């Protein structure tokens, strides 16, 4: 009889999930550029002014399998 190890249930079962990086660890340069633009933009609409950088960040994240809305 094996003991019930609940922590084992939390570990990823397939190799793909185990090798997928965390969202915080990828696209750091793109994220920094996007954040800096949004925070320090003098444009009346920073969201519109930084649209290109936001798109680059989304594209980068998509290459790692992350889907941003």
């Amino acid at each position: 009889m094996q003991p019930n190890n609940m922590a084992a249930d939390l570990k990823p079962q397939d190799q793909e999930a185990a090798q997928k990086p965390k969202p915080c660890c990828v696209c750091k340069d793109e994220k920094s550029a996007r954040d800096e633009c949004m925070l320090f933009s003098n444009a009346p609409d920073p969201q519109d002014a930084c649209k290109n950088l936001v798109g680059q960040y989304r594209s980068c994240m998509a290459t790692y399998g992350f889907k941003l809305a």
Side-chain angles (χ1 to χ4, degrees):
M1 183 171 162
Q2 288 186 341
N4 186 6
N5 186 351
M6 295 181 83
D9 295 338
L10 299 175
K11 294 179 182 176
Q13 298 300 320
D14 59 359
Q15 291 295 336
E16 184 178 322
Q19 293 178 354
K20 188 174 181 181
K22 294 181 181 179
C24 63
C25 301
V26 296
C27 304
K28 289 184 176 186
D29 293 336
E30 291 84 352
K31 183 178 180 181
S32 293
R34 178 207 63 182
D35 291 350
E36 188 172 320
C37 182
M38 293 293 283
L39 291 172
F40 301 113
S41 175
N42 291 326
D45 185 8
Q47 210 169 18
D48 187 49
C50 303
K51 191 180 295 188
N52 185 36
L53 293 171
V54 171
Q56 288 177 3
Y57 177 68
R58 285 183 176 171
S59 296
C60 180
M61 292 296 284
T63 63
Y64 290 97
F66 298 106
K67 297 176 184 174
L68 304 177

